[in-house]
Amino acid sequence: MLYAALLTIIDQELNAKVRPAHLEYVDQLFRAGKVVMAGPFTDKQGGMVIYKADSMAEAQALAEADPVVKEGARTLELREWSPLELPLANG
C-alpha cells in the first residue's frame, strides 16, 4: 500500500538545520524500497513523501522517524493513497 505524507514547514530555521538529515533519511528509505518518491512543493512551504508500507502503522512509524518531523520542524499529515491506473480502460 502507498501512503502520502504531507510535511508542512512550521519552523524555517529548524527545517534548514535538519533538512540534510531528512534528505539522507528519505534516500535510505528509497534504497530500501520504502519510499517511492519525494520532493518539495514549489511554494517552499514543505514537501511530500510517498511511502510503500504494509500498514498504516508501519507508514506512520516511518514518517514519524523522519528527522524533520521528529525535531518539530514540520507537521505530518499521513493518508493512505490509491493512485489511478492510467490510462483508464474506458477512457
Side-chain angles (χ1 to χ4, degrees):
M1 291 183 275
L2 298 177
Y3 299 86
L6 302 176
L7 304 169
T8 302
I9 297 170
I10 54 175
D11 185 327
Q12 289 285 354
E13 188 175 311
L14 181 58
N15 183 70
K17 178 181 172 189
V18 181
R19 190 169 183 270
H22 159 71
L23 294 174
E24 183 178 323
Y25 179 74
V26 169
D27 187 60
Q28 288 174 353
L29 290 181
F30 176 80
R31 293 172 190 275
K34 292 295 179 180
V35 166
V36 176
M37 61 177 36
F41 295 122
T42 58
D43 65 5
K44 301 187 186 315
Q45 297 304 306
M48 184 168 65
V49 178
I50 305 294
Y51 291 98
K52 184 176 183 180
D54 294 327
S55 67
M56 176 62 96
E58 179 188 7
Q60 187 81 34
L62 291 170
E64 288 178 351
D66 186 324
V68 292
V69 175
K70 207 161 77 170
E71 297 296 324
R74 301 187 192 192
T75 61
L76 167 65
E77 179 186 349
L78 185 66
R79 301 177 71 177
E80 188 172 344
W81 185 52
S82 180
L84 292 175
E85 295 287 332
L86 296 173
L88 298 176
N90 52 342

